Amino acid sequence: MNVHNPAQSFFRPMVNTRFRQQFRRQKTLSWSGNRLLWLSIGKILLVLFPLVLVVNFWLAASFRNLEVSVQAVENARHELMDKQIRLRAQRAQLFSPEQIQLIAAEKFALHIPEKEQVKLF
């Protein structure tokens, strides 16, 4: 299969090395900077840092309270699940045929009739 691609590949031209050397020599970013600029940055940090610190403490306390409440809910859930398991076991025991016959015999004096007591018409 022959494929013809009319677009030619494009290579980015390299920058002249003298230009790159001159660019490196320039001091585009000076850390010493303007004194007024550094004072402004210091004032902003002086205001923002305590604000961020207070927000951080508040969020940490909220998270701790949330964690405690979630733990309490989990404990209550486990207690209710255990109680439900116990109640289901008790219900299954009460609905067993042997237990029903025992309760009927004790409370209502009902007994299973014997063969000579049953007469078919």
Side-chain angles (χ1 to χ4, degrees), residues 18-82:
R18 278 189 309 182
F19 176 74
R20 279 194 267 165
Q21 289 172 354
Q22 289 174 358
F23 186 71
R24 283 189 198 133
R25 278 191 227 132
Q26 287 180 350
K27 290 185 179 180
T28 56
L29 184 62
S30 174
W31 287 105
S32 60
N34 189 356
R35 180 178 164 87
L36 186 60
L37 175 69
W38 284 108
L39 285 175
S40 300
I41 292 174
K43 287 178 185 177
I44 290 173
L45 288 178
L46 189 64
V47 170
L48 287 180
F49 183 72
L51 183 65
V52 169
L53 194 63
V54 166
V55 169
N56 184 25
F57 286 147
W58 178 70
L59 286 175
S62 298
F63 184 73
R64 232 177 289 118
N65 291 340
L66 181 67
E67 202 172 54
V68 167
S69 63
V70 166
Q71 187 65 33
V73 168
E74 284 292 320
N75 290 341
R77 180 179 159 266
H78 285 296
E79 288 175 12
L80 289 174
M81 286 175 60
D82 291 342

Side-chain angles (χ1 to χ4, degrees), residues 77-91:
R77 180 179 159 266
H78 285 296
E79 288 175 12
L80 289 174
M81 286 175 60
D82 291 342
K83 186 175 180 180
Q84 182 182 21
I85 289 171
R86 285 192 311 271
L87 288 174
R88 283 188 179 183
Q90 186 180 5
R91 180 177 179 258

